[in-house]
């Protein structure tokens, strides 16, 4: 709900729909592709006990943590790139128009 509300506010303030799609796509893709599977993996191996499975359980929990942290980083970077493109594309367009 927060993500959709934020997208509505951005859509009202920014005339280009590509920015809204970039923001929504970057955050939603990282959540669906990396963060949620990592959380599910960590939850699935949370209650595993036993001597044989303890090493593999720790590996799976660590893998889940790496997925969550990596997905968070990807989400932050993709949002940053979209916002940077919003501000830098206007100045680049003005520079190319002025030089011709």
């Amino acid at each position: 709900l927060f993500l959709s509300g934020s997208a509505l506010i951005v859509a009202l303030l920014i005339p280009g729909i590509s920015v809204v799609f970039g923001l929504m796509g970057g955050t939603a893709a990282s959540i669906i592709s990396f963060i949620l599977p990592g959380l599910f993996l960590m939850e699935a191996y949370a209650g595993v006990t036993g001597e044989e499975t303890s090493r593999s359980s720790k590996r799976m929990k660590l893998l889940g943590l790496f997925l969550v942290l990596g997905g968070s980083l990807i989400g932050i970077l993709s949002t940053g790139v979209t916002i940077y493109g919003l501000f830098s594309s206007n100045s680049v367009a003005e520079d190319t128009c002025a030089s011709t």
Side-chain angles (χ1 to χ4, degrees):
L1 184 62
F2 174 74
L3 188 62
S4 297
S6 300
L8 175 65
I9 292 171
V10 169
L12 293 174
L13 296 176
I14 298 174
I17 192 70
S18 64
V19 175
V20 177
F21 286 153
L23 290 172
M24 289 288 290
T27 53
S30 66
I31 290 171
I32 291 171
S33 300
F34 298 104
I35 296 173
L36 286 178
L39 290 174
F40 293 152
L41 188 63
M42 288 170 34
E43 182 66 27
Y45 283 93
V48 175
T49 58
E51 190 173 316
E52 288 183 11
T53 59
S54 67
R55 284 192 345 195
S56 83
S57 174
K58 287 179 184 177
R59 282 189 213 150
M60 289 299 185
K61 288 179 189 176
L62 190 61
L63 177 63
L65 181 64
F66 284 141
L67 281 172
V68 170
L69 293 177
S72 300
L73 181 67
I74 289 171
I76 291 168
L77 288 176
S78 66
T79 303
V81 166
T82 302
I83 292 172
Y84 176 76
L86 173 67
F87 293 114
S88 69
S89 66
N90 291 337
S91 62
V92 171
E94 291 172 4
D95 290 343
T96 57
C97 290
S99 64
T100 55

